[in-house]
């Protein structure tokens, strides 16, 4: 099977590393006249407007972020659906600038380029006919691509994964190469996982607060899902599925006839530049049949084998009684990436709460049993009251920090974060590193998608937890090998995957980098 030949995965990963040299020798520039549209638009289909008023959900955000709901029977209605979509991928803020207007969304996204599209496969729901729909974020509505119940196609494509087979609603997330590659070139394939992940962090938290079970599914027959959506898979590909809710009966079989739709869409820009390395990576991580999907899911989880820590500083997180009461809606609506941090400390209780609530486990088919994780968290602590400045490893199982090196590493944090001020000024920079060798070995190239996706989800939770505590956060990019060297020998053999900085917000300024 192509997926298990990890040479393609390694080739892509190595070719898209950032180093001081690669950044300085890259002649890429932003062609503003050719900037892609941040929305997919089907101009000929009628819009089904979604209700903009929702019932307020009382559960505190910090509980929703950490929780997984397992209600026996749960079917979302149209209002729930609107709430799920709005708080995951809806437009929450608009800002004018010299080049026009930026529509910021509920979840953070590299470069505010919003390359992730959401589609729905729905059974008959209260106030919604069964169908396959596209979510039009710009107009806040749905467009029906196919009439009828198509969940069976996804059940088959996922080799009858049980949460898919019993879900009244399945969200399908796709990623569009050019929309993000316009700025980030071939590194965009990593961004697919990051930017899909932050959306999923919101979607999972909102689902939990509405008491709907939800799970991330990374294993499916790519070609079948792409065919259902009728996307041009040279340009847009299905990346993850999220079944939401639960019904006792398994979904009806897929319809025999899945004819192409041939629907018109508005071109993203005048012309598109192709970065074949990403399509090669996608093909190499694709699963051709339900048998391959079932096999992929069965691979044992990546076992943790860390030596017992010589010294551990136990987290001191807030308990449920003491967390702020703010709901997940309130937190999502006030979230926005911090553009500047004040060089002031956060408390150890705040850091502990953010880590604790974000790392309890992600419900995903590639992270079984629940609680399995691909990414290890390494910290540069610049300013945390009650914790010495220096670098740390977060021992997730033992819920504590292992000190690695003591000292002031602000300037190194800035340097590792692509020479940006954000990680230098932040209180804590949290680096995600993963043992890619083991992940490729067990999960093949598809594991690469999964490791980026998990990072995006946990990173998205770090954002939400920080904002729930009225702190700031920003995702960041990084110099790959320098990060690993900095945390070595502890991190030897791992690879850098993701970075989030946390701290206190300074007055906003400037546009996204
Ligand atoms: C994975 C990730 C990496 C990011 N990297 C950077 C970065 O290197 N520098 C930066 O200033 N902002 C970075 N951002 C922040 C985005 O620019 C920001 O999310 C986007 O402009 C949307 O704005 P919002 O988060 O305020 O809604 C990153 C965001 C994510 C999710």
């Amino acid at each position: 099977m192509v997926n298990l030949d990890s040479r393609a995965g390694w080739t892509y990963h190595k070719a898209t590393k950032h180093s001081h040299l690669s950044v300085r020798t890259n002649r890429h520039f932003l062609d503003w006249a050719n900037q892609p549209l941040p929305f997919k638009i089907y101009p000929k289909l009628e819009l089904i407007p979604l209700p903009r008023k929702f019932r307020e959900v009382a559960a505190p955000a910090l509980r929703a972020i950490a929780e997984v709901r397992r209600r026996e029977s749960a079917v979302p209605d149209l209002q729930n659906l609107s709430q799920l979509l709005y708080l995951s991928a809806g437009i929450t803020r608009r800002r004018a600038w010299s080049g026009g207007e930026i529509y910021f969304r509920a979840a953070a996204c590299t470069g505010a380029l919003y390359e992730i599209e959401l589609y729905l496969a729905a059974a008959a729901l209260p106030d919604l006919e069964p169908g396959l729909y596209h979510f039009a974020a710009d107009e806040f509505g749905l467009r029906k691509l196919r009439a009828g119940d198509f969940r069976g196609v996804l059940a088959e494509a996922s080799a009858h994964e049980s949460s898919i087979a019993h879900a009244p609603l399945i969200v399908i997330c796709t990623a569009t190469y050019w929309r993000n590659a316009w700025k980030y070139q071939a590194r965009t394939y990593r961004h697919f996982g990051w930017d899909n992940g932050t959306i999923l962090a919101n979607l999972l938290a909102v689902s939990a607060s509405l008491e709907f079970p939800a799970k991330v599914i990374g294993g499916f027959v790519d070609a079948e899902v792409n065919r259902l959506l009728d996307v041009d898979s040279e340009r847009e590909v299905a990346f993850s599925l999220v079944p939401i809710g639960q019904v006792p009966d398994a979904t009806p079989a897929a319809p025999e006839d899945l004819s192409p739709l041939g629907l018109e869409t508005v071109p993203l820009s005048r012309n598109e530049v192709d970065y074949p390395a990403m399509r090669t990576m996608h093909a190499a991580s694709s699963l051709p049949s339900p048998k391959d999907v079932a096999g992929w899911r069965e691979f044992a989880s990546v076992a943790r084998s860390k030596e017992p820590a010589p010294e551990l500083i136990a987290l001191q997180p807030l308990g449920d009684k003491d967390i702020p009461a703010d709901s997940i809606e309130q937190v999502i609506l006030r979230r926005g990436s911090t553009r500047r941090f004040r060089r002031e400390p956060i408390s150890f209780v705040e850091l502990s709460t953010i880590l604790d609530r974000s790392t309890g486990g992600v419900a995903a088919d590639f992270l079984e049993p629940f609680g399995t994780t691909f990414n290890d968290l390494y910290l540069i602590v610049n300013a945390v009251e009650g914790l010495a400045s220096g670098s740390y490893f977060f021992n997730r199982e033992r819920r504590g920090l292992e000190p690695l090196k003591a000292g002031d590493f602000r300037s190194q944090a800035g340097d590792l974060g692509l020479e940006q001020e954000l990680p230098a000024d932040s209180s804590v920079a949290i680096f995600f590193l993963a043992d890619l060798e083991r992940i490729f070995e067990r999960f093949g190239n598809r594991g690469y998608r999964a490791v980026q996706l998990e990072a995006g989800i946990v990173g998205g939770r770090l954002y939400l937890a920080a904002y729930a505590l009225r702190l700031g956060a920003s995702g960041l990019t990084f110099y790959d090998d320098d990060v690993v060297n900095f945390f070595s020998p502890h991190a030897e053999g791992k690879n850098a995957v993701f970075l989030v900085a946390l701290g206190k917000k300074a007055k906003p300024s400037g546009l996204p980098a």
Side-chain angles (χ1 to χ4, degrees), residues 93 104-105 107-112 114 194-195 198 335-337 339 420 422 463 474-477 498 512-513:
R93 282 171 298 134
F104 289 100
R105 311 264 191 110
C109 178
T110 51
Y114 304 112
W194 305 353
D195 296 331
T198 58
R335 189 212 63 78
S337 297
R339 308 293 179 206
Q420 299 180 79
L422 281 164
Y463 259 104
S474 182
L476 287 158
T477 197
F498 200 85

Side-chain angles (χ1 to χ4, degrees), residues 303-325:
R304 317 269 76 217
S305 60
K306 275 267 150 277
E307 298 291 309
E311 187 193 341
L312 193 84
I313 301 164
L315 295 186
Q316 294 169 13
L318 293 173
D320 275 351
K321 283 195 321 298
D322 302 313
I323 54 176

